[in-house]
Amino acid sequence: MNYETDYRQFVDSEEPLNSIQERDWAFYGQCGLEYPFLYATPDPKRQDYFARPYSEDPLQRLDIHHLKTPEKKKRPVIFYIHGGGWTNEDKSNTRFVAHDWIKNGYTVVSINYRLSPNVTHPAIIEDCAKALKWVQENIHEYGGDPNRICVVGHSAGGHLAALLVTGVKWHQKYDIDIKKVKCWIPLSGIHDFNLPENYMPPMLSAAIIAMLGGDDNKVECSPVSHITGKEPPCLILHGGDDWLVPKTNSIELHNKLVEKGAKDARLFIVKGYAHCNMILGFEKPGHKPAELINEYLDEMLPTSEGKKL
């Protein structure tokens, strides 16, 4: 398979793939300089920030953010899983997306997990499950509502978000009450590791091989393999010009949910967006993925702040 020629069918734009990719990476670099870390210089008058372990490894940590208010009502929780090809980045990239959510009255939980190639499947999804279990048991102590959770992730995080919600075997192993997850939003995720187009982009192919730890894990690691039709409502988003993760992953995830009779599964292929910029520029006016997500959250997990805004 030739990436430059064969992958053309998976993007909407007629622009050369390398041009789409270079512009997307350049945007990543620009936003990396513009956005402060949420917890680097927190304003003690406006924001509560807590860092907590959910297990024993140094990477098994999560951050909790919300605005300080006199309101005693528990806030809906956004459980965010970062991307980075399962091999790099960490929970600090929540800074790209969480500002809107925090000011709109959500408690935002951003998790780390162990990274490949130091670990392979199923260690990473088990970390996510442990973190969600910790949140369900403890978030009430930090102003969050354990009965109103939305699971969100981008790229590798989008895959993990989908696998976490659909993977009944991990719900059972870690005693997770998935009914407390009221909705989920996977962005630009890999949802079927048997799709041949996932192995066209060299960067993605290398990351998949490192994370899977063998072809035998392709089915078990694919969210589409675990769908029962009993999943909570979801909003699936993917960039129409995603040069890294083929949008067929999100289309197949949506089709499988509909086929199995899942309640309220929505799909948006966002025209003009690539891979990185699905989350970068999130709080800038006119950012379409942000508009779709924030409207969806206001529908599914409304807050008093969100209604005021």
Side-chain angles (χ1 to χ4, degrees):
M1 293 182 291
N2 184 292
Y3 171 63
E4 289 292 337
T5 57
D6 295 341
Y7 198 86
R8 293 294 326 164
Q9 62 186 300
F10 301 107
V11 295
D12 297 332
S13 175
E14 297 298 325
E15 186 178 351
L17 288 173
N18 63 343
S19 297
I20 299 172
Q21 179 181 5
E22 288 172 4
R23 187 169 63 254
D24 204 30
W25 277 125
F27 192 55
Y28 182 90
Q30 176 187 354
C31 286
L33 295 173
E34 289 181 358
Y35 285 78
F37 286 94
L38 284 173
Y39 47 81
T41 54
D43 182 347
K45 296 180 180 179
R46 299 192 65 247
Q47 180 180 342
D48 276 355
Y49 160 68
F50 306 92
R52 295 292 183 267
Y54 63 83
S55 195
E56 298 177 355
D57 190 275
L59 279 176
Q60 292 170 322
R61 299 291 187 269
L62 54 82
D63 294 337
I64 305 166
H65 304 270
H66 60 247
L67 293 182
K68 287 184 176 180
T69 69
E71 185 179 344
K72 294 183 179 180
K73 185 178 180 180
K74 300 297 183 185
R75 299 171 177 273
V77 176
I78 297 178
F79 182 91
Y80 185 78
I81 308 174
H82 73 78
W86 311 280
T87 65
N88 56 54
E89 297 195 13
D90 64 14
K91 52 186 167 49
S92 66
N93 77 8
T94 309
R95 68 192 188 277
F96 297 130
V97 295
H99 292 278
D100 276 4
W101 299 337
I102 293 169
K103 74 180 183 183
N104 286 358
Y106 294 96
T107 292
V108 178
V109 177
S110 178
I111 73 165
N112 263 4
Y113 46 85
R114 290 170 294 169
L115 301 170
S116 67
N118 295 325
V119 298
T120 58
H121 178 79
I124 298 175
I125 188 58
E126 290 185 343
D127 282 1
C128 296
K130 290 177 183 177
L132 182 57
K133 177 62 174 176
W134 187 97
V135 167
Q136 291 190 347
E137 290 184 340
N138 297 283
I139 200 62
H140 66 280
E141 298 179 7
Y142 303 90
D145 186 345
N147 297 306
R148 291 189 296 157
I149 299 171
C150 177
V151 176
V152 186
H154 173 257
S155 193
H159 157 252
L160 293 168
L163 190 58
L164 180 60
V165 173
T166 61
V168 175
K169 63 181 296 183
W170 292 292
H171 305 165
Q172 295 171 343
K173 181 174 181 178
Y174 294 100
D175 192 25
I176 291 170
D177 185 355
I178 201 62
K179 292 181 180 179
K180 295 182 177 182
V181 175
K182 300 306 180 186
C183 56
W184 48 296
I185 307 174
L187 290 84
S188 313
I190 304 89
H191 303 306
D192 185 350
F193 289 96
N194 283 307
L195 290 177
E197 57 264 34
N198 285 334
Y199 301 88
M200 289 182 185
M203 183 186 302
L204 182 60
S205 179
I208 289 174
I209 292 169
M211 182 275 296
L212 283 179
D215 286 349
D216 292 344
N217 287 326
K218 283 185 176 180
V219 172
E220 186 186 71
C221 200
S222 297
V224 295
S225 302
H226 297 276
I227 294 171
T228 65
K230 298 179 180 180
E231 290 78 16
C234 67
L235 173 67
I236 306 165
L237 297 179
H238 215 109
D241 289 334
D242 196 319
W243 53 270
L244 180 61
V245 177
K247 60 178 177 285
T248 46
N249 284 275
S250 289
I251 294 170
E252 183 173 347
L253 178 66
H254 176 258
N255 289 346
K256 184 65 69 172
L257 285 163
V258 172
E259 175 188 322
K260 292 286 187 176
K263 180 182 177 182
D264 194 9
R266 309 179 196 180
L267 170 67
F268 282 89
I269 304 299
V270 190
K271 290 187 178 297
Y273 283 80
H275 189 77
C276 300
N277 67 357
M278 286 292 290
I279 62 168
L280 300 180
F282 202 85
E283 65 175 1
K284 295 180 182 295
H287 190 274
K288 187 61 176 179
E291 292 176 354
L292 291 167
I293 290 172
N294 290 336
E295 288 173 4
Y296 185 73
L297 288 171
D298 195 44
E299 174 189 348
M300 304 301 294
L301 290 177
T303 65
S304 56
E305 290 90 340
K307 288 182 179 179
K308 290 175 184 176
L309 291 171

